[in-house]
Amino acid sequence: FFAFKQPTPWSVFLPYIGHPGVLRNPQSGGGYSLYFENLMNKPLYIVNGENDRLYPVSAVQPFIDILDEVGVNHIFKAITGGGHNTDWLPDEKPMIEKFKLANPRDAFPENVQWVADRTDKYNRNLWIRVDGLDSTNNQGLLQATRRGNLIEVTARGVTEFTLLLNPEELDFSREVEVRVNSKEVFNARVSQSMETLLDWAVEDLDKSMLYTVELPINSY
């Protein structure tokens, strides 16, 4: 769930003896729409048992094939003869710890993307937030790349969004430029705000991820 809907606080995801299809089920998992683009943001270490009575490897493999096809950073371990249990965990733990150490959390990655189908929640990934969706679409894609003070954005089905900016990643003594779908939509200096800093500090409770500027983009 967190990998698909709320990845911001996490460094990696460790799905054990599960299946993402459960989240799609209205009775057992909430009936959520799942977007594989959202799994591009954080690596996964996935483990399933060959003979799991609920989610055997054969049932999970089509999902793994999609991860391979789209290039999601992941490791998949199929436990030979394994059932719906974690008896394998002591043997696997050293590799899991190595995986976590190899993938520390980056609170301000240069590249970030998100697919959202609502704007009241599940609409943010790190420093981008979807605030408006085209009424003809049931979801929107936002991709952003930051290079110095230039932020290039691809927006599909998104009518409004917010960029959250940090003074360690951008030089606020110079203009910040934003291009959306190759069109310049903003090029000016921005003002840092103590209110913004405090609001997001309360929201995230994360001293390694502080924002001093909210930059709304709603015309492009």
Side-chain angles (χ1 to χ4, degrees):
F1 173 83
F2 288 108
F4 276 111
K5 295 296 183 181
Q6 293 179 312
T8 292
W10 311 99
S11 58
V12 299
F13 294 101
L14 312 172
Y16 300 154
I17 60 170
H19 193 293
V22 174
L23 293 171
R24 289 197 182 105
N25 189 321
Q27 295 180 333
S28 63
Y32 295 103
S33 297
L34 306 180
Y35 308 105
F36 282 85
E37 295 92 337
N38 290 350
L39 298 186
M40 300 292 290
N41 296 288
K42 303 287 174 67
L44 301 97
Y45 195 106
I46 306 165
V47 184
N48 284 87
E50 179 185 24
N51 300 322
D52 188 318
R53 60 185 175 83
L54 295 178
Y55 315 117
V57 168
S58 60
V60 178
Q61 189 62 55
F63 166 73
I64 302 301
D65 292 342
I66 295 175
L67 300 187
D68 290 333
E69 182 179 344
V70 300
V72 172
N73 182 4
H74 74 284
I75 291 175
F76 178 52
K77 291 294 186 73
I79 305 301
T80 302
H84 193 66
N85 57 60
T86 55
D87 292 347
W88 46 266
L89 189 53
D91 292 333
E92 200 69 25
K93 187 174 180 180
M95 282 77 78
I96 293 169
E97 293 302 316
K98 183 178 179 180
F99 178 78
K100 290 192 291 185
L101 289 173
N103 293 283
R105 177 172 176 259
D106 183 357
F108 303 104
E110 292 183 352
N111 301 292
V112 65
Q113 68 176 12
W114 196 242
V115 177
D117 53 21
R118 56 195 300 172
T119 58
D120 58 333
K121 58 182 177 179
Y122 314 139
N123 60 326
R124 174 193 170 204
N125 182 26
L126 293 165
W127 52 274
I128 61 174
R129 187 183 68 198
V130 175
D131 299 321
L133 295 169
D134 189 326
S135 59
T136 61
N137 296 297
N138 58 5
Q139 79 263 353
L141 167 68
L142 202 62
Q143 296 173 316
T145 298
R146 186 188 67 245
R147 289 195 294 270
N149 273 32
L150 170 63
I151 300 174
E152 296 191 270
V153 177
T154 297
R156 297 173 184 159
V158 175
T159 59
E160 301 176 48
F161 62 89
T162 296
L163 302 174
L164 304 173
L165 309 182
N166 173 282
E168 295 182 0
E169 305 300 323
L170 293 96
D171 180 0
F172 292 148
S173 68
R174 299 170 44 240
E175 288 75 11
V176 173
E177 180 182 0
V178 180
R179 298 176 187 167
V180 180
N181 300 333
S182 300
K183 175 186 176 182
E184 183 181 279
V185 299
F186 184 87
N187 192 341
R189 292 191 181 186
V190 297
S191 298
Q192 299 186 80
S193 164
M194 181 65 73
E195 183 179 357
T196 297
L197 174 64
L198 295 176
D199 285 347
W200 283 104
V202 170
E203 174 74 20
D204 292 330
L205 297 177
D206 185 347
K207 64 182 180 181
S208 69
M209 186 176 64
L210 301 176
Y211 306 110
T212 58
V213 175
E214 279 189 27
L215 182 57
I217 304 293
N218 52 30
S219 178
Y220 49 88

